[in-house]
Amino acid sequence: MRSGLCCLLAVLTGAAAAIAGEPERTPPPTHIEATSQASPPGGKYAVESAVDEEGGTHWASANKALPQSLRMTWDEPVSADAVSVTTVASAMPALYASWRRFELRLDNGAVIEHTFTEPADVAIVRLEGVQTFRQAELIVHEVFEPRTYIGLRDLGFYRDPDRLLAPVRQLARPLPRTALTASGRPEHPCVYLTPKHIALGRRNAESTTWGAEERARILKECEFWMQHDEGHWLDFLPEPGACYAYGFTGCPICGASFGSWGGARCTWDKPGQVVCGSGHSLPDEAHPDDGIGYKAEDGRFHYFKGIWNSWVTEQWTQKAIPALSYAYAITGDERYAERAAFFLDALASIYAESTAGSWDYPSSPPSGRFARPWYQVARTLVVFVEAYDLIYSSAVLDRPSLRPGLAARRPEGPTAQQRGVGREDALGLTRPDLTRRQNIDENLMIDGAQYCYEQTFHIALHNGHADYMRGALAVGALLGIEAYVNNAIESPCSIWVMLANNADRDGRYFETALGYALHARSLYLTFVEPLLHWRSAKYPEGVNLFDDARMRSFYALPALTIDCAGHAPNFGDAGPDNTARYPTGPESSSLDALYAEWLFAYSRGEHRDTAARLLAFLSQGDSARLRQGSQSQRWLLFRAEDIPAEASRELPPDLATQVGGSWVMGQKGMAILRNGQDADAQAALLRYGPSLNHGDYDDLGLIYYAKGWQMTYEIGYGLGSTHCQVGWGSQTVSHCLVTVDEKSQGGASGGSLNLFAELPSLRLVEAESPLSYSRQGVSQYRRTVALVGNGADQVLVDLFRVRGGQQHDY
């Protein structure tokens, strides 16, 4: 076991490793010094970390200036014929530069130079025979692309006569921006929509009531943003590198909230001001903010201007730009394209310099774009891509960019380099004057995409990774950058890998709580259209994710199949359920209807027929009514086609059972018992599977619904990391369970299903999870739950068996 672990660590750290045997490493130097170091001696990034043979430590320079060097001295002469050099770049590409050329100098006169032909972490440098020396100096002369630091994980000198020392196979690494080519796309839109969709949208707006209403809604939203001239709106544009904030610390006077981002209490007629829930308008004379925050007497910062800046950029991003671009798509009126291009160009003029995200976000180091930290950069980047793609063919984008004109607008404005004057673009060309298209392409699209792309090389399979990948994918699909697109299809954490690992055979998601599962579904859908519409020599027909059975299952009525008497069960990290709800027939779910529309729009062959069947069931044959009431009419406007009149309203047998009967989700480890209709409906959910991300210590947890209410109370949470959520709300004693010895479950998580049955007047499930309390010596931890009777005349039976431990509290 240990040797296997060591091999794995070698691969993950990129450390040099022997194929067989062990080359002899020289003793560490007696003394080592560096041109600069980010930590004091003995600190986390001090220079001695480069020679300590520990994979988890490294030296970091204090800055990015070149050359950077390390000088090593030994008390006694040492000899070596090989040197291994392992850098840090691929682990943290946003912070550490990939080395291009370095030099090794020995005090015996030997000088060895090494040049990387492409970014890589590991170099094995062979010396000319065995060299004896007491001093050596490593000098980094060039990098592929400057970053904040130069880093070195390990530097080792070896006697390796059999040449066993070799670099391990390198993990995938991001290409530098300078190595990427934007080949363009032959027509636009081409990412989420195509010209065919635009024609369909205009037809739906003319031929359907709901389509006409959505068209009118889009044009109404644009009225506000078409007011005033460009100069009026430019007065609100933040400076490059300005402060952005959530506003977590609230009002320094009363503690009330200001709201966050686009939901902050700001108005256009009071620039720079934000109002708290109690009515205090700040900053004021007693609470000044010169742009970097107000520091209160308790030491906390309040970023009033940061909240305002966040509100402005979010208003333009989430409201102005989407509405204007869709208005252009539905009407072809160039006035809407002109105003959308203006707002995009304005944001692009400050985007690449606004790299800290929200200043009050708990992050070290701070990172992001505008108010959005880390993976949330992609959440606004895809909005920009969608809108930009809709107006991409308009000539208004060939007009001069705002970026070179910022200094004229403000005497205290940014430098010429910040404005883009003489700035090099992604192809290395100097452009003294940018067009709007060039500015948006280079300083918003590619800048944001490269940030997201580099983050995807931190190996992960969670939702944040999906965000990063879809951001780069969207820009790649827009501008024809194959590396960004192929990364989403082929990388170690591609969309295919995420599907294979995160979605199970029952169409459920691996994270425990339902809300996070729904969020994952919304993320994965954003991969569908860019990949389907992509064209390249390698993928001439694009990639259809709905050809995959797991993907289709993921979107086949996920809300209705887990519905419990009209309620969405709130196990794990979810809010409390404090309202009465009754199931209404026929079964309906606006969310499931949207997913069915996706399946119908993009599945092929018999799978499209099945999707039509789902829509016919959900609409009971009246698709116009279903679409009339949808909250996703903008998406439907450009994609919804007529459902075949012959589509059956009956669900396939397996889905019919999952929606209307009792069933087991074997891989996630949940069972639902259901009986009764309307006010007589009852349901019980028993969760025996493992508690993973966003779960509680509640293996064998029971949630029971009757009389319209959740009868067993799940306190849930409102905001992660609050005392309630990480304290009482997550503990075993706060759930409908048996607590052993006044302790929460703490052994292995996840148990087994023993029994399941659905019979007339009896629905029954039994499961066990003894490992949940293995630390207390529990050998049996078993629950049997049954719904007995029918309709109004039914009761819940709950039998809990525990063997082991000293105290059992039910």
Side-chain angles (χ1 to χ4, degrees):
M1 179 64 184
R2 179 174 172 77
S3 61
L5 177 61
C6 291
C7 290
L8 176 61
L9 289 175
V11 172
L12 291 177
T13 61
I19 296 175
E22 281 293 332
E24 181 183 352
R25 182 163 175 154
T26 66
T30 310
H31 178 71
I32 182 170
E33 58 185 15
T35 307
S36 69
Q37 52 186 340
S39 296
K44 185 175 182 180
Y45 306 114
V47 68
E48 56 265 27
S49 296
V51 295
D52 61 2
E53 300 186 58
E54 294 290 335
T57 64
H58 64 272
W59 161 73
S61 63
N63 52 62
K64 60 184 177 183
L66 292 175
Q68 292 278 346
S69 66
L70 286 77
R71 186 187 298 271
M72 294 146 284
T73 305
W74 287 261
D75 285 344
E76 300 293 334
V78 294
S79 59
D81 58 9
V83 183
S84 72
V85 178
T86 307
T87 75
V88 194
S90 67
M92 288 171 278
L95 294 175
Y96 288 86
S98 289
W99 298 13
R100 185 191 293 271
R101 181 172 64 89
F102 68 88
E103 184 180 59
L104 186 67
R105 293 178 173 269
L106 306 180
D107 62 355
N108 64 7
V111 178
I112 304 96
E113 186 173 284
H114 182 86
T115 300
F116 289 98
T117 57
E118 61 182 19
D121 272 353
V122 182
I124 304 298
V125 180
R126 298 288 172 183
L127 309 181
E128 293 186 5
V130 177
Q131 300 282 335
T132 301
F133 51 92
R134 284 188 57 191
Q135 192 173 82
E137 185 175 15
L138 178 74
I139 308 168
V140 183
H141 289 290
E142 294 180 33
V143 296
F144 281 94
E145 191 167 303
R147 289 291 185 266
T148 307
Y149 306 110
I150 310 297
L152 182 62
R153 191 177 300 283
D154 186 66
L155 175 64
F157 294 82
Y158 290 88
R159 291 289 296 271
D160 184 30
D162 296 326
R163 291 181 170 259
L164 299 176
L165 198 67
V168 299
R169 179 179 178 272
Q170 293 294 300
L171 295 175
R173 65 189 63 246
L175 294 171
R177 179 170 171 172
T178 52
L180 301 175
T181 300
S183 59
R185 299 293 297 276
E187 67 176 5
H188 291 270
C190 60
V191 182
Y192 301 104
L193 298 175
T194 67
K196 180 192 76 172
H197 292 104
I198 301 301
L200 177 60
R202 293 177 180 179
R203 189 197 76 187
N204 282 334
E206 294 294 332
S207 62
T208 68
T209 302
W210 64 267
E213 290 176 352
E214 182 57 28
R215 181 185 189 275
R217 189 177 298 114
I218 292 171
L219 298 183
K220 182 67 176 178
E221 290 175 7
C222 290
E223 290 179 1
F224 178 77
W225 305 109
M226 295 298 292
Q227 297 179 53
H228 310 295
D229 60 16
E230 294 179 357
H232 169 84
W233 292 112
L234 282 178
D235 285 338
F236 304 115
L237 182 68
E239 296 286 350
C243 173
Y244 298 87
Y246 275 93
F248 284 137
T249 46
C251 178
I253 300 172
C254 67
S257 170
F258 294 110
S260 292
W261 291 352
R265 296 180 184 88
C266 301
T267 57
W268 297 108
D269 60 345
K270 294 183 178 180
Q273 292 286 306
V274 59
V275 180
C276 80
S278 299
H280 299 113
S281 183
L282 296 165
D284 59 16
E285 186 174 347
H287 308 87
D289 182 355
D290 60 1
I292 59 173
Y294 162 73
K295 187 175 183 180
E297 292 183 359
D298 61 8
R300 296 190 302 166
F301 276 90
H302 301 260
Y303 298 105
F304 312 126
K305 293 290 183 65
I307 297 171
W308 162 261
N309 290 337
S310 299
W311 184 79
V312 170
T313 54
E314 288 287 315
Q315 289 289 315
W316 292 359
T317 300
Q318 304 292 352
K319 294 183 178 180
I321 292 171
L324 292 162
S325 63
Y326 270 107
Y328 176 67
I330 203 68
T331 66
D333 189 333
E334 291 290 337
R335 294 178 304 145
Y336 296 121
E338 165 66 34
R339 188 51 57 94
F342 159 72
F343 280 120
L344 281 166
D345 183 54
L347 292 178
S349 71
I350 61 171
Y351 187 80
E353 291 79 25
S354 304
T355 59
S358 285
W359 286 22
D360 52 356
Y361 185 77
S363 168
S364 181
S367 186
R369 294 294 185 274
F370 294 155
R372 299 286 178 150
W374 298 103
Y375 60 87
Q376 293 203 37
V377 170
R379 296 185 183 178
T380 50
L381 183 59
V382 295
V383 175
F384 295 139
V385 170
E386 182 176 17
Y388 187 38
D389 191 31
L390 292 175
I391 67 168
Y392 200 87
S393 299
S394 174
V396 300
L397 289 164
D398 297 320
R399 297 178 185 177
S401 170
L402 169 70
R403 194 173 180 94
L406 277 177
R409 181 169 62 86
R410 292 192 182 94
E412 72 280 10
T415 65
Q417 183 180 8
Q418 288 174 319
R419 297 196 312 269
V421 179
R423 185 183 179 91
E424 287 190 351
D425 67 10
L427 302 178
L429 302 175
T430 301
R431 289 175 170 154
D433 295 303
L434 295 176
T435 65
R436 286 170 168 175
R437 191 187 307 279
Q438 290 167 341
N439 182 36
I440 298 167
D441 280 358
E442 297 166 14
N443 298 309
L444 197 161
M445 296 295 156
I446 295 178
D447 181 87
Q450 186 68 15
Y451 175 87
C452 293
Y453 168 69
E454 291 177 356
Q455 295 297 327
T456 68
F457 289 82
H458 299 257
I459 305 302
L461 286 172
H462 51 58
N463 285 345
H465 175 84
D467 264 319
Y468 284 130
M469 188 162 286
R470 72 181 179 129
L473 165 65
V475 174
L478 173 77
L479 301 179
I481 302 176
E482 289 197 36
Y484 291 162
V485 178
N486 291 344
N487 184 54
I489 307 170
E490 302 170 354
S491 69
C493 291
S494 69
I495 181 62
W496 293 121
V497 175
M498 284 190 284
L499 275 173
N501 284 274
N502 296 350
D504 68 26
R505 61 177 178 259
D506 300 309
R508 314 319 300 183
Y509 181 65
F510 88 97
E511 292 188 271
T512 301
L514 286 185
Y516 291 89
L518 295 176
H519 177 58
R521 288 184 175 90
S522 68
L523 283 177
Y524 291 5
L525 282 178
T526 62
F527 287 75
V528 172
E529 291 169 328
L531 291 177
L532 184 64
H533 302 151
W534 175 244
R535 297 293 182 268
S536 67
K538 194 169 187 179
Y539 299 101
E541 301 300 322
V543 175
N544 192 336
L545 293 180
F546 283 123
D547 286 346
D548 181 74
R550 192 181 297 262
M551 181 75 174
R552 294 193 303 273
S553 176
F554 205 37
Y555 295 95
L557 309 183
L560 286 179
T561 52
I562 203 168
D563 180 89
C564 291
H567 296 253
N570 61 331
F571 47 84
D573 287 346
D577 184 346
N578 296 324
T579 58
R581 297 188 186 94
Y582 302 93
T584 57
E587 289 84 354
S588 63
S589 164
S590 59
L591 187 63
D592 284 352
L594 176 61
Y595 292 155
E597 295 276 13
W598 274 89
L599 289 165
F600 181 62
Y602 297 121
S603 296
R604 296 191 273 208
E606 63 177 324
H607 306 305
R608 191 169 192 265
D609 295 338
T610 300
R613 194 170 174 178
L614 299 184
L615 284 172
F617 164 77
L618 290 165
S619 66
Q620 288 299 293
D622 188 355
S623 59
R625 178 192 60 80
L626 188 70
R627 290 164 176 172
Q628 184 83 29
S630 174
Q631 296 182 0
S632 304
Q633 286 186 354
R634 194 153 307 179
W635 186 92
L636 289 170
L637 181 63
F638 294 91
R639 298 164 177 90
E641 297 188 58
D642 294 337
I643 301 170
E646 66 274 12
S648 171
R649 302 181 191 180
E650 299 297 323
L651 288 177
D654 57 339
L655 276 177
T657 297
Q658 293 173 16
V659 169
S662 302
W663 74 296
V664 174
M665 288 150 272
Q667 192 160 349
K668 195 171 179 72
M670 297 193 301
I672 296 177
L673 309 179
R674 296 187 182 109
N675 184 252
Q677 294 295 322
D678 302 322
D680 293 334
Q682 292 197 27
L685 182 143
L686 178 64
R687 201 185 63 78
Y688 61 88
S691 293
L692 301 174
N693 307 41
H694 298 289
D696 297 336
Y697 299 108
D698 65 341
D699 291 11
L700 296 191
L702 170 68
I703 309 180
Y704 173 45
Y705 301 89
K707 307 293 185 182
W709 293 91
Q710 182 186 100
M711 308 300 281
T712 51
Y713 184 67
E714 292 286 310
I715 189 172
Y717 84 142
L719 178 66
S721 302
T722 59
H723 293 136
C724 182
Q725 188 256 342
V726 300
W728 169 263
S730 292
Q731 305 309 316
T732 304
V733 70
S734 77
H735 296 84
C736 184
L737 276 164
V738 171
T739 301
V740 178
D741 294 347
E742 299 186 354
K743 298 182 183 298
S744 284
Q745 297 171 1
S749 182
S752 301
L753 180 70
N754 293 341
L755 176 65
F756 177 82
E758 183 171 27
L759 303 168
S761 300
L762 176 66
R763 288 138 190 90
L764 175 70
V765 61
E766 181 182 277
E768 63 181 349
S769 183
L771 293 180
S772 298
Y773 269 115
S774 58
R775 294 175 183 174
Q776 277 66 48
V778 169
S779 60
Q780 184 182 64
Y781 195 68
R782 180 183 300 173
R783 190 167 208 161
T784 306
V785 176
L787 279 178
V788 181
N790 287 297
D793 185 21
Q794 59 179 322
V795 296
L796 179 81
V797 177
D798 180 25
L799 305 175
F800 216 122
R801 301 175 178 87
V802 182
R803 180 177 291 113
Q806 303 301 312
Q807 180 177 327
H808 305 152
D809 291 305
Y810 172 78

